[in-house]
């Protein structure tokens, strides 16, 4: 039996596959990379060759320009791609549009790098698919028992109730530009909200990209439109950084909302001046993380980033050997 470390091992640049000579989500420029998804800490510019899903390659081109890598190769979900005898398969991770787990198979050994993932339904991307494996490599962003995300429909209902309750105020929803913003828009549509939703300019290109990939966002307009001066009663989606800056002062007495898994931590909501915290996360919560390990029962669990200790301890108590990799460079807060 081959030792897992012979197939994938942590290096300062990221997880390295020696027999296939590639890195998964390298944090520094490398010759050959496989990218799980388009969030900036996982998908960086400047690699030689990049293998990713078509949507992730599009996202990278949108963010970094066409020359973000010397060469690119798109792989559809489920398609096995050969890298010097190592079979690489991208499998839905349910995190954001294009997000994939990377399944690596070599000489009878299967290792799965989850990237970032969640188990809940997301109208903007296909659901996480569990892959039986010898080693599962997991994120651990919300790996503490206190993190239990509520149903997203419940959070959207709270937003809509607030809109109905304060018709004279605008509702400004902070949401990350890739994934969260589009998911919020889709969830609002599913809840029956069919009015125009106003969006900050920083979201426009990714919204257009999602539409090109078949995600229906309904009627959107720039929040800067001059035709409409009064945003009372409207919903505006903007990057979280705008909640406290000058940009938001154009709106009448706005209700500042923020959609993030971290909004479960009251102190974080207060710190950011968030009046309406919405606990909506694109990461697995404690139950999803432990449930996934329980479902897969891998021979070993490796943990890349987040609250490694708590998840490792849980795994050991449940008979799964666990190991924290301490890979530096993945943001804890950037893309939740
Ligand atoms: Zn991410
Ligand atoms: Zn991440």
């Amino acid at each position: 039996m081959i030792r897992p470390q012979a197939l994938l091992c942590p290096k300062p640049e990221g997880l390295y596959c020696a027999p296939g000579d590639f890195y998964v989500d390298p944090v520094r420029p490398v010759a050959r990379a496989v990218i799980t998804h388009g969030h900036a800490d996982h998908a960086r510019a400047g690699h030689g060759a990049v293998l990713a899903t078509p949507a992730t390659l599009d996202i990278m081109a949108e963010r970094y320009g066409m020359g973000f890598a010397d060469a690119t190769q798109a792989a559809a979900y489920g398609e096995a791609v050969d890298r010097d005898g190592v079979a690489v398969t991208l499998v839905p991770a349910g995190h954001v549009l294009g997000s994939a787990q990377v399944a690596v198979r070599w000489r009878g050994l299967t290792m799965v790098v989850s990237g970032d993932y969640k188990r809940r339904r997301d109208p903007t991307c296909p659901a996480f698919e569990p892959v039986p494996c010898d080693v599962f490599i997991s994120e651990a962003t919300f790996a503490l028992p206190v993190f239990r995300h509520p149903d997203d429909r419940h959070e959207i209902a709270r937003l809509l109730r607030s809109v109905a309750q304060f018709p004279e105020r605008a509702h400004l929803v902070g949401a990350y530009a890739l994934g969260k913003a589009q998911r919020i828009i889709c969830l609002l549509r599913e809840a029956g909200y069919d009015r125009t939703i106003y969006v900050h300019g920083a979201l426009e290109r990714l919204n257009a990209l999602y539409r090109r990939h078949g995600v229906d966002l309904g009627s959107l307009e720039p929040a800067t439109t001059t035709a409409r001066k009064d945003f009372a009663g409207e919903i505006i989606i903007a990057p979280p950084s705008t909640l406290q800056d000058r940009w938001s002062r154009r709106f009448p007495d706005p209700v500042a909302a923020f959609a993030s898994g971290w909004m479960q931590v009251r102190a974080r909501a207060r710190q950011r001046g968030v009046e309406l915290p919405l606990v909506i996360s694109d990461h697995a919560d404690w139950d999803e993380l432990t449930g996934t390990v329980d479902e897969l029962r891998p021979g070993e669990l490796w943990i890349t980033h987040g609250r490694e200790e708590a998840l490792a301890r849980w795994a050991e108590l449940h008979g799964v050997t666990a190991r924290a990799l301490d890979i530096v460079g993945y943001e804890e807060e950037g893309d939740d």
Side-chain angles (χ1 to χ4, degrees), residues 37 41-42 116 283 305 330-331 335:
H37 68 286
D41 50 329
H42 293 258
D116 290 339
H283 290 274
H305 60 302
Y330 300 130
E331 301 277 330
D335 63 20

Side-chain angles (χ1 to χ4, degrees), residues 63 177-178 182 199-207 237-239 242:
R63 295 192 134 177
L178 170 58
Q182 297 79 21
V199 294
H200 186 280
L203 306 181
E204 280 173 21
R205 289 185 337 177
L206 284 168
N207 287 345
I237 316 273
T242 60

Side-chain angles (χ1 to χ4, degrees), residues 19 107 157 231 264 275 330:
R107 299 187 185 170
F231 288 88
Q264 206 180 326
E275 186 177 343
Y330 300 130

Side-chain angles (χ1 to χ4, degrees), residues 20 47 49 52 85 99 155 178 227 232 238 249 253 258 278 285:
H47 303 309
S99 67
E155 298 302 283
L178 170 58
R249 285 187 218 145
D253 183 25
F258 183 19
L278 302 171
D285 69 3

Side-chain angles (χ1 to χ4, degrees), residues 53 71 75 91 110 119 127 199 255 270 301:
T53 62
V91 180
T110 301
R119 300 302 303 267
V199 294
V255 174
R270 259 199 315 272
L301 172 70

